[in-house]
Amino acid sequence: MTDYPRFGAGLWHFATYVDRYASDGYGPSRTTLDAIELAGQVEDLSVVDLNYPFTPGVGLSEVKDALAAQGLTAIGITPEIYLRRFAKGAFTNPDPGVRKQALDLMHEAAGVVREIGADYVKIWPGQDGWDYPFQVDHRTLWKLAVDGMRELAGAHPDLKFAIEYKPREPRVKMTWDSAARSILGIQQIGLDNVGVLLDFGHSLYGGESPADAAQLLIDHGLLYGMDVNDNLRGWDDDLVVGTVHLTEIFEYFYTLRKNNWEGVWQLDQFPFREDSVDAARTSIGILKRLYRALDRLDTAALAEAQERQDAMAAQRLVQEALFGAVPE
């Protein structure tokens, strides 16, 4: 039997979605407990990343009991610092009072990480950034982002904080927008408990090679976690993993294996119109096939081809690993 990695998902995979057109939602409203119950129906799923605060009326003890009942554990807690009250930013909000509210919420999330036994606080500052030229002073904005993260992580030296960068959305331009900029910012922060959660789709539509971004972060010791999904490269579509960029996701996982990175293979998907349990099962099925394909990949021959920068030889080896069972 193949010894697969642990598979996880953001609990929002099992939530109800809205957009600016179907503002009434793509399905019935679901609580945190409802989403945990759905996650428990995905046989190979073992860990989840949870939004915080939980849905109204749901307490931490109830969440802990629900996770235990479904055989799940928490890998991360994601504070909701991107909702309406932080529309002008969390770390970078021009109002010091709102910045304090954001930090207070993140400090609370840190306490939940300890209580629930998660691996890290995931920081996705989606509203930190700008929309128009001349809207912000870039030096001031960057200083607020870096200083705020330093203050937060410095208050909790026993915990890890994983920044999830993204090029844009909801802001037209986000402050933490790339692997390289995240590395620069973390170096300025100067603390050893701040790293990066690399979202495959964010890297794709940000114009990066996800494999290259992963290697860069690993080389700096900063890859704390990762999410996988897919998109058409023009937006963060959060489609089922491997349905569009199969070769690039294979190179991504090859890079992780080559570097002995052994974290959770985690889904960050938004199945707006699909059954969320079915989408998760389909995704994990693809991930298992990719994992087995890595076992078939002739890594020695690939290394030789890469040393020559022989693109066609490398592609043939990848095709054999992915499609070897398909007759020519």
Side-chain angles (χ1 to χ4, degrees):
M1 183 176 178
T2 303
D3 187 16
Y4 291 112
R6 288 189 299 162
F7 298 116
L11 195 63
W12 49 89
H13 178 103
F14 304 96
T16 301
Y17 309 112
V18 299
D19 59 28
R20 59 180 177 155
Y21 301 103
S23 57
D24 53 344
Y26 288 89
S29 178
R30 290 173 182 157
T31 68
T32 300
L33 301 182
D34 294 332
I36 291 172
E37 184 176 357
L38 287 173
Q41 295 177 26
V42 183
E43 294 81 2
D44 298 295
L45 196 67
S46 60
V47 298
V48 290
D49 182 333
L50 297 99
N51 301 98
Y52 180 81
F54 310 125
T55 50
V58 176
L60 178 57
S61 61
E62 293 174 282
V63 169
K64 291 170 73 172
D65 289 345
L67 290 172
Q70 299 298 333
L72 298 168
T73 58
I75 186 172
I77 300 295
T78 300
E80 293 182 329
I81 55 171
Y82 39 80
L83 301 182
R84 182 170 59 190
R85 63 172 163 155
F86 305 117
K88 288 190 175 182
F91 293 103
T92 64
N93 198 289
D95 184 336
V98 177
R99 294 200 299 270
K100 183 180 183 302
Q101 289 177 29
L103 279 168
D104 287 347
L105 178 57
M106 288 182 272
H107 288 310
E108 285 182 33
V112 174
V113 166
R114 291 190 187 92
E115 287 289 327
I116 212 165
D119 290 3
Y120 49 72
V121 181
K122 189 184 79 180
I123 301 299
W124 182 64
Q127 299 285 8
D128 284 9
W130 66 93
D131 305 308
Y132 292 92
F134 288 99
Q135 184 176 3
V136 301
D137 178 87
H138 294 289
R139 175 180 290 171
T140 298
L141 202 75
W142 183 239
K143 187 175 188 304
L144 286 171
V146 169
D147 289 353
M149 274 303 306
R150 185 187 297 113
E151 178 182 345
L152 174 65
H156 307 278
D158 57 316
L159 299 181
K160 289 184 174 181
F161 293 81
I163 300 169
E164 181 178 6
Y165 70 84
K166 185 177 180 180
R168 62 186 186 277
E169 191 206 18
R171 298 311 290 259
V172 173
K173 183 67 173 178
M174 280 180 57
T175 303
W176 298 91
D177 67 352
S178 64
R181 190 175 181 91
S182 298
I183 291 169
L184 287 172
I186 292 169
Q187 288 175 342
Q188 285 182 254
I189 290 167
L191 299 175
D192 61 6
N193 62 332
V194 182
V196 172
L197 184 138
L198 174 56
D199 183 297
F200 180 82
H202 295 178
S203 184
L204 269 183
Y205 98 98
E208 296 178 330
S209 157
D212 175 59
Q215 187 65 65
L216 190 63
L217 291 164
I218 289 169
D219 287 344
H220 285 80
L222 295 177
L223 186 58
Y224 283 9
M226 60 94 163
D227 287 339
V228 290
N229 42 47
D230 215 331
N231 61 53
L232 299 178
R233 224 175 192 118
W235 196 248
D236 187 30
D237 302 306
D238 281 328
L239 303 176
V240 165
V241 60
T243 51
V244 184
H245 292 96
L246 186 62
T247 303
E248 285 184 274
I249 193 69
F250 191 51
E251 184 188 24
Y252 181 72
F253 285 124
Y254 165 73
T255 301
L256 298 180
R257 178 177 287 196
K258 182 176 67 172
N259 288 277
N260 299 312
W261 191 88
E262 297 181 346
V264 172
W265 289 24
Q266 184 161 284
L267 306 175
D268 181 0
Q269 302 175 161
F270 278 63
F272 280 82
R273 299 166 184 84
E274 293 72 42
D275 178 273
S276 59
V277 172
D278 186 38
R281 287 171 175 162
T282 301
S283 302
I284 292 175
I286 293 170
L287 293 179
K288 285 183 171 182
R289 287 173 173 83
L290 289 169
Y291 188 85
R292 295 196 299 270
L294 288 171
D295 291 336
R296 295 192 296 271
L297 182 63
D298 187 338
T299 56
L302 179 61
E304 291 177 2
Q306 289 179 332
E307 188 173 356
R308 302 189 306 272
Q309 296 189 18
D310 189 336
M312 293 302 100
Q315 288 302 307
R316 286 192 293 272
L317 291 165
V318 168
Q319 291 166 8
E320 179 63 28
L322 286 173
F323 311 118
V326 179
E328 295 184 6

